[in-house]
Amino acid sequence: MLLAGFDAGQTSTRCRVCRWQDDGWQIIGEGSGPGVSHLEAAGGAERFRQAVLTSLKSASEGEGERKLDAAVIGASGIEQGSALQPKATALLADALSLPEEKVLATGDERTALRGAFPEGGGIILISGTGMICLGRDHQGKEHRCGGWGWMLDGAGSAFDLGHQGLQLTLQMADGRRPDHPLRQRMWEQLGCRGHADVKAWVVQPSRTAADLAALAPLLVAAADAGLPAAQDILQRSAAALVSCAATVARELALPQPAVAGLGGVLQHPGSVQRAVEVGIIAEIPGARWAPAASDACWGALTMARELVLRPR
């Protein structure tokens, strides 16, 4: 079986193409492409299609034309059981010239959970451009918390860190807070020289959550260097993430759950990861911070294999 697994976030899309044989997986290639937006947003369907085709082409480079047997994509904004899911599945089938029963589009949190905990229960806490928390018990029941988009529920995400950091620089600039090199560093990254430039940058129609998420590392660096206002923002973000994980553990009645931190904010050692890990252990009885068994692309590939072996 030749299978493809996609992990499509708001910033970029990864694709892994593998052959499944009796003795296991053989990796054919890996590649990347542009990110996706919400399917109902302007241009969302075309962005989805381009993300799939570009990343697949990148993963298949040098391999020639090979017909896939099945494919699964975990994409940002595809809610499990929503009206968008069959629409996205149909788009994926059309893009790959496959029958719909051989493809599945679902949320990237579900493929990430399957990759992190292929068998049994666990909780994943994702903090990348956006954030979301999802858990599964040992009977297969799932519960999700957070992740309702940057306009509604971005606390704990890189977008939120960058957004609050930029707000902080404006407070510095007009005297509400002491000035700090963070302001100059953020404004230089944006190509801005003053308040008006920042306001004009934010209101550009092409502005995305990923643009603000790109500012998060500057805020984290300022917090690590001892800026109290930046440290307060990091602590609030960490508390929001811990609250989501604790809610999932409670709703699923998970005893001593394993919690895996995913996404750029939590997969790299730093002050946010440390604060979240300490909070998880304090708030969830018996919880342990655990590495993911594998990534979302492997989760998608596992689900693609099941489409062939156990058709839905």
Side-chain angles (χ1 to χ4, degrees):
M1 293 183 285
L2 190 64
L3 308 170
F6 299 86
D7 178 30
Q10 297 173 55
T11 304
S12 63
T13 297
R14 296 185 300 129
C15 173
R16 185 174 295 136
V17 177
C18 291
R19 189 175 298 282
W20 170 258
Q21 297 170 317
D22 291 339
D23 57 350
W25 294 103
Q26 175 194 359
I27 298 177
I28 302 300
E30 301 187 40
S32 61
V36 298
S37 58
H38 195 282
L39 214 55
E40 291 296 297
E46 183 56 29
R47 284 198 70 186
F48 182 92
R49 183 180 181 86
Q50 287 303 314
V52 168
L53 294 178
T54 303
S55 60
L56 177 62
K57 182 178 180 181
S58 176
S60 306
E61 196 166 350
E63 294 297 322
E65 292 292 327
R66 297 192 184 195
K67 179 71 172 178
L68 293 172
D69 291 292
V72 169
I73 185 170
S76 176
I78 306 298
E79 307 293 344
Q80 176 69 10
S82 70
L84 281 182
Q85 190 174 23
K87 180 179 178 180
T89 296
L91 280 171
L92 181 63
D94 181 67
L96 300 179
S97 299
L98 285 172
E100 288 192 26
E101 62 269 20
K102 298 300 182 184
V103 302
L104 175 67
T106 188
D108 54 352
E109 74 281 359
R110 294 189 72 241
T111 51
L113 179 64
R114 190 62 186 275
F117 302 105
E119 306 294 338
I123 298 172
I124 56 164
L125 191 55
I126 305 174
S127 178
T129 301
M131 66 75 59
I132 193 168
C133 183
L134 180 69
R136 184 180 66 238
D137 67 16
H138 293 282
Q139 288 71 48
K141 180 184 176 183
E142 295 180 353
H143 187 78
R144 167 266 185 88
C145 190
W148 299 109
W150 63 271
M151 294 184 72
L152 296 171
D153 188 28
S157 67
F159 157 79
D160 190 53
L161 292 173
H163 186 213
Q164 290 195 63
L166 191 57
Q167 290 175 314
L168 179 60
T169 66
L170 291 171
Q171 295 166 15
M172 293 172 178
D174 65 18
R176 281 178 282 172
R177 291 183 181 268
D179 202 8
H180 186 275
L182 174 65
R183 179 185 60 79
Q184 183 179 358
R185 290 167 187 155
M186 279 200 174
W187 288 13
E188 284 179 351
Q189 183 162 314
L190 302 181
C192 297
R193 300 180 65 180
H195 301 70
D197 293 340
V198 175
K199 186 174 182 180
W201 182 88
V202 168
V203 299
Q204 292 299 310
S206 60
R207 197 62 59 221
T208 67
D211 294 327
L212 283 159
L215 299 174
L218 295 176
L219 180 78
V220 173
D224 290 343
L227 179 62
Q231 292 172 341
D232 289 344
I233 292 172
L234 259 60
Q235 287 299 321
R236 289 196 298 271
S237 289
L241 293 171
V242 170
S243 174
C244 286
T247 299
V248 169
R250 183 184 69 246
E251 291 295 320
L252 292 176
L254 287 174
Q256 303 180 336
V259 182
L262 305 176
V265 175
L266 294 178
Q267 282 185 299
H268 299 96
S271 50
V272 181
Q273 185 206 59
R274 289 192 297 272
V276 171
E277 184 175 354
V278 169
I280 291 289
I281 293 171
E283 291 294 324
I284 307 174
R288 59 187 175 86
W289 194 253
S294 57
D295 65 12
C297 281
W298 281 121
L301 282 162
T302 300
M303 295 168 77
R305 182 185 65 191
E306 291 172 354
L307 289 179
V308 178
L309 298 179
R310 297 194 292 274
R312 63 180 186 274

